Amino acid sequence: MELRHLSYFKAVAEELNFRKAAERLFISQPGLSRQIKNLEEMLEVKLFERDQKHVELTAAGAFFKNEVDFVLNHLDLTRNQLKLIAAGKIGELRIGFLGSASNQVLPDLLAKLNTNQPLISTSLEELSNSVQVEMIEKDKLDLGFVRLASVPSDLEMKVVLRDTFSLVVPKNHPLQERDFISVNQFKDESFVLFSSDYSNLYYEQIIGICRDAGFSPKIRHKSVHALTIFKLVENGMGVAIVPTSLKEGYELNVRFMQIPQIPQFTELSAIWKGGNRNPALKQVLPLLG
């Protein structure tokens, strides 16, 4: 078995179409079919169910796809690490994060990294909770920052920030913080919330805050980006409930009022794969808050 067999299999497994996979690989469709047949013969197992109209992975093929993804991703990582080592660097850390991590937790980590491990470079990408978990499991990310209650058993998790919730209102809103007793005072207002795609746990917590206050929020807009939410609040499109730490880093005409006497809080956690073999990760984990 050669590396090209894995690349050919990966293309067909992702496209589930031999013609499209062949075009993507810049080879002929009959040639690709022969390579897949050779691979199946070498493995002594059928990887695809196929006829003239449909191509599907067999159970063995689906398992093999996960293994091939791991192997090819690890080869890419190894190739990149070799280039970095040759350039005099320890390596690269691939970090995924929610936008709410970029205000405090992520800058703090990068500052520590710059002081303690200046030869480690970073690649940063803002991603949802679910995408981060998937990419870490597939070794496409080394470290993630998420808002989740739990993660799959092959991942490690460490809480790095525990945060309260605040109500965000336009700066000229008539209610002042000294008069703010309960979110029930805003039951008749429109709300701008983070979408459940951002974090379903977090979304349910916000709905719970309103429910505990005796009302169901009138949700007018949703977004996965904090800046979009704040701009909508600034322009009078509604009020928002967000983690209090998000007040750092934005210069907008909005006010944050911490919600008093509620049991809800939110946690930002770092996650990584226990079996991750990137040497840079082992240097960074002790720096997590």
Side-chain angles (χ1 to χ4, degrees), residues 61-130:
F63 173 82
F64 190 56
K65 182 181 183 300
N66 288 333
E67 298 304 303
V68 168
D69 284 343
F70 173 80
V71 169
L72 294 179
N73 288 335
H74 189 68
L75 285 174
D76 285 340
L77 172 63
T78 301
R79 187 183 300 114
N80 291 334
Q81 293 292 338
L82 289 172
K83 290 179 181 178
L84 291 164
I85 291 169
K89 298 180 179 179
I90 292 176
E92 179 183 63
L93 191 72
R94 301 162 300 173
I95 302 175
F97 64 95
L98 295 174
S100 55
S102 64
N103 288 5
Q104 179 179 343
V105 171
L106 195 54
D108 287 351
L109 175 62
L110 296 180
K112 291 178 183 176
L113 194 59
N114 189 55
T115 300
N116 296 279
Q117 298 290 346
L119 298 182
I120 294 179
S121 60
T122 58
S123 172
L124 308 173
E125 191 170 2
E126 185 174 348
L127 301 164
S128 69
N129 287 319
S130 59

Side-chain angles (χ1 to χ4, degrees), residues 223-261:
S223 176
V224 296
H225 298 293
L227 181 59
T228 300
I229 290 174
F230 296 157
K231 290 296 290 184
L232 289 170
V233 172
E234 182 183 56
N235 286 281
M237 299 296 178
V239 299
I241 297 175
V242 304
T244 301
S245 62
L246 282 181
K247 67 182 178 181
E248 306 296 335
Y250 297 98
E251 294 295 332
L252 295 168
N253 290 317
V254 297
R255 286 189 286 117
F256 279 68
M257 299 190 294
Q258 187 169 320
I259 302 173
Q261 299 180 343

Side-chain angles (χ1 to χ4, degrees), residues 48-63:
F48 295 99
E49 295 286 355
R50 50 196 184 272
D51 55 35
Q52 291 183 340
K53 293 184 178 180
H54 301 286
V55 177
E56 293 182 0
L57 285 164
T58 63
F63 173 82

Side-chain angles (χ1 to χ4, degrees), residues 10-274:
K10 179 179 172 67
V12 178
E14 290 179 346
E15 298 291 347
L16 294 178
N17 184 296
F18 275 79
R19 179 184 57 80
K20 291 181 180 179
E23 291 174 353
R24 170 173 154 184
L25 294 165
F26 300 103
I27 63 174
S28 69
Q29 183 173 332
L32 178 58
S33 295
R34 283 195 301 272
Q35 294 293 337
I36 295 299
K37 184 177 180 181
N38 290 342
L39 178 61
E40 290 178 322
E41 289 173 351
M42 283 185 279
L43 294 172
E44 299 180 346
V45 67
K46 194 172 184 179
L47 299 171
F48 295 99
E49 295 286 355
R50 50 196 184 272
D51 55 35
Q52 291 183 340
K53 293 184 178 180
H54 301 286
V55 177
E56 293 182 0
L57 285 164
T58 63
F63 173 82
F64 190 56
K65 182 181 183 300
N66 288 333
E67 298 304 303
V68 168
D69 284 343
F70 173 80
V71 169
L72 294 179
N73 288 335
H74 189 68
L75 285 174
D76 285 340
L77 172 63
T78 301
R79 187 183 300 114
N80 291 334
Q81 293 292 338
L82 289 172
K83 290 179 181 178
L84 291 164
I85 291 169
K89 298 180 179 179
I90 292 176
E92 179 183 63
L93 191 72
R94 301 162 300 173
I95 302 175
F97 64 95
L98 295 174
S100 55
S102 64
N103 288 5
Q104 179 179 343
V105 171
L106 195 54
D108 287 351
L109 175 62
L110 296 180
K112 291 178 183 176
L113 194 59
N114 189 55
T115 300
N116 296 279
Q117 298 290 346
L119 298 182
I120 294 179
S121 60
T122 58
S123 172
L124 308 173
E125 191 170 2
E126 185 174 348
L127 301 164
S128 69
N129 287 319
S130 59
V131 171
Q132 287 187 64
V133 169
E134 179 183 354
M135 291 182 70
I136 288 175
E137 286 194 301
K138 291 184 175 180
D139 293 293
K140 293 183 177 181
L141 281 180
D142 301 304
L143 184 66
F145 290 96
V146 300
R147 293 185 188 276
L148 291 170
S150 62
V151 291
S153 59
D154 57 335
L155 301 190
E156 303 291 335
M157 188 176 193
K158 179 180 180 181
V159 175
V160 293
L161 178 68
R162 182 165 172 161
D163 206 355
T164 59
F165 283 102
S166 283
L167 192 79
V168 186
V169 300
K171 189 166 284 188
N172 61 359
H173 195 283
L175 186 70
Q176 297 301 309
E177 188 165 11
R178 63 179 178 273
D179 302 315
F180 181 39
I181 301 171
S182 166
V183 292
N184 182 267
Q185 293 168 275
F186 293 83
K187 64 182 180 181
D188 295 324
E189 304 222 20
S190 297
F191 278 76
V192 184
L193 300 184
F194 276 109
S195 167
S196 57
D197 293 337
Y198 173 87
S199 170
N200 189 63
L201 170 67
Y202 168 67
Y203 181 82
E204 291 299 328
Q205 283 181 298
I206 292 177
I207 298 301
I209 290 171
C210 297
R211 188 185 302 116
D212 290 349
F215 73 101
S216 179
K218 295 185 292 185
I219 304 170
R220 187 172 180 183
H221 301 287
K222 297 179 185 178
S223 176
V224 296
H225 298 293
L227 181 59
T228 300
I229 290 174
F230 296 157
K231 290 296 290 184
L232 289 170
V233 172
E234 182 183 56
N235 286 281
M237 299 296 178
V239 299
I241 297 175
V242 304
T244 301
S245 62
L246 282 181
K247 67 182 178 181
E248 306 296 335
Y250 297 98
E251 294 295 332
L252 295 168
N253 290 317
V254 297
R255 286 189 286 117
F256 279 68
M257 299 190 294
Q258 187 169 320
I259 302 173
Q261 299 180 343
I262 59 171
Q264 290 87 353
F265 60 88
T266 181
E267 292 179 334
L268 184 73
S269 297
I271 61 171
W272 65 92
K273 189 174 182 178

